[in-house]
Amino acid sequence: MSNAQLILLDKRNQPLKEYLVAVAASDGLNIKGVEVMASPAKGEKSLLNANIYIPPLEKFDYNPKKLAVESLTKLTIGEEIIAIEAFIERCSEDEAVRAALKKSLARFTKNLEKLIKTFCDSDVIPLIQESRNDALFKLKNHAKDLKGKNIVCIDIEATNISTDPEADIIQVSACDINGKELFNQLINPGYDIPENEKHNITTDMVQGEPSLTEAWDQIHDTLLNADIVLAYSTESDFMYLEKSAEKKLLRFELDYNTWLDAAELSKDLIGAMRWHSEKMYWFFKTPKLTHAYEVILEKPFPGDAHDALADARATVDLFNAMLEKGTQSKVEEKKPKKKQEQITNNPFAALAQLK
């Protein structure tokens, strides 16, 4: 007979912080210092330890039991991910020790559920749920309002980020709401393209391609004639076009009010919540296009994430999938609370209530 047992260790230097709850709500989280230890007997050296993984709370409906079951399939030893059954097998070749560890698993799981429950009971969880409901309601309305509209989805690759005044456009691509290509144009900036991890476009690739001035009319007018211009991060794409037009003295009649940002919608729908420690407020982190696509469509991102046409088509697929989620949701607009009527015999007070 063995006295071996599984013990939940919590060796954190400080209590659970709300920002950890928020991260786990969307991303899943390994917390340093929270481990499972296989102990051969009280006071004896551990047989084996593994780190505990807290799964994404939303994915498992904030249910501690479901989360604990998932957590036990993803223990980590160094870089290796291992399930609790394999962990027990690895602890010892002694069948009595293994049997004792298995016997203690139910109690260990209960303790793990209690730990996870502290995440699920956090005051921040209702904020997350409210944001998701608001996002679904917004998407539900978009699905109704955008029917029959001419929607053009655009993506731009450039030599640097949009806030850099020296950045130049080197690819502009657009497709319709069904992913049909409207244009896919490489742009020759007139100089050697510096290497940049944000795109894969080289100087050789743009040789013989038009300058932005030569390609401008098709790009500008396609966007101008759209009812809605869709993009993933509209602010940067609009800024590229506006600054380029100003720099090259090109006509510019685009209205940012007709642009719709798929990144903002995905942020509200699946973005991970973060705590801004300096400014002391919660915010949702905007997911990358590749991440949003894979989470919402539940399949790998197609093609090259640094090609403008591939990104535009992926944005359309993502947007249509989000609209579908909004349409299928049961969420309704929150009705404003009715003001409670106050009964009074004072005619002047009664008159004031009517104002």
Side-chain angles (χ1 to χ4, degrees), residues 33-320:
V34 179
E35 302 176 359
V36 52
M37 179 180 80
S39 171
K42 190 173 181 180
E44 291 187 22
K45 186 179 178 183
S46 167
L47 295 168
L48 187 64
N49 286 36
N51 289 324
I52 296 291
Y53 166 73
I54 307 297
L57 305 185
E58 290 176 285
K59 190 175 179 180
F60 296 91
D61 303 319
Y62 304 96
N63 185 310
K65 286 187 178 180
K66 291 180 183 177
L67 288 158
V69 169
E70 176 66 12
S71 180
L72 291 174
T73 67
K74 291 183 172 61
L75 305 176
T76 56
I77 302 174
E79 298 296 319
E80 184 182 7
I81 298 173
I82 187 172
I84 188 66
E85 294 80 9
F87 174 82
I88 291 172
E89 291 295 310
R90 192 176 296 185
C91 285
S92 175
E93 294 183 1
D94 187 327
E95 287 301 328
V97 171
R98 289 179 177 178
L101 292 174
K102 288 175 185 176
K103 188 177 179 181
S104 70
L105 180 57
R107 186 176 61 185
F108 174 83
T109 304
K110 288 287 183 185
N111 290 333
L112 181 57
E113 286 175 21
K114 287 179 184 177
L115 172 70
I116 292 175
K117 192 173 185 298
T118 62
F119 286 82
C120 299
D121 288 346
S122 166
D123 290 341
V124 80
I125 300 303
L127 295 177
I128 295 170
Q129 292 172 316
E130 184 177 4
S131 174
R132 305 315 189 210
N133 286 337
D134 288 347
L136 287 169
F137 182 75
K138 199 182 294 182
L139 287 163
K140 198 172 192 176
N141 282 342
H142 280 316
K144 293 175 188 175
D145 297 341
L146 297 178
K147 276 186 180 177
K149 296 285 179 71
N150 174 24
I151 300 174
V152 173
C153 184
I154 185 176
D155 190 75
I156 292 173
E157 300 295 338
T159 56
N160 209 337
I161 57 175
S162 59
T163 52
D164 179 2
E166 302 302 318
D168 282 308
I169 294 171
I170 50 178
Q171 186 186 16
V172 191
S173 302
C175 63
D176 65 15
I177 196 61
N178 298 309
K180 180 183 176 183
E181 179 184 324
L182 300 176
F183 58 78
N184 182 26
Q185 186 61 62
L186 285 170
I187 302 294
N188 190 337
Y191 54 83
D192 289 346
I193 297 173
E195 287 188 14
N196 190 313
E197 61 181 17
K198 294 186 179 297
H199 65 78
N200 299 322
I201 300 169
T202 64
T203 303
D204 288 343
M205 289 171 64
V206 300
Q207 293 305 311
E209 298 293 344
S211 66
L212 184 62
T213 300
E214 292 168 329
W216 184 255
D217 284 346
Q218 181 191 14
I219 296 166
H220 180 271
D221 292 347
T222 301
L223 300 176
L224 185 63
N225 293 328
D227 296 318
I228 296 292
V229 178
L230 180 70
Y232 201 86
S233 186
T234 52
E235 189 175 353
S236 61
D237 286 331
F238 190 87
M239 192 181 296
Y240 279 131
L241 294 169
E242 188 176 39
K243 285 187 173 181
S244 295
E246 183 180 345
K247 187 162 57 175
K248 299 179 184 300
L249 301 178
L250 303 170
R251 67 190 177 93
F252 189 82
E253 301 167 27
L254 304 181
D255 181 1
Y256 190 67
N257 291 316
T258 65
W259 286 49
L260 183 60
D261 195 344
E264 283 296 309
L265 293 168
S266 68
K267 177 185 73 174
D268 294 339
L269 190 61
I270 65 164
M273 192 174 245
R274 296 287 187 268
W275 174 250
H276 197 300
S277 56
E278 291 181 7
K279 297 184 180 178
M280 303 292 286
Y281 68 85
W282 294 105
F283 69 99
F284 283 95
K285 190 173 186 293
T286 305
K288 290 183 178 179
L289 172 60
T290 49
H291 177 73
Y293 183 98
E294 290 176 356
V295 170
I296 291 173
L297 278 85
E298 298 182 341
K299 61 182 182 180
F301 188 85
D304 183 359
H306 297 304
D307 176 78
L309 183 58
D311 284 357
R313 283 174 167 160
T315 299
V316 161
D317 289 343
L318 170 64
F319 182 62
N320 285 329

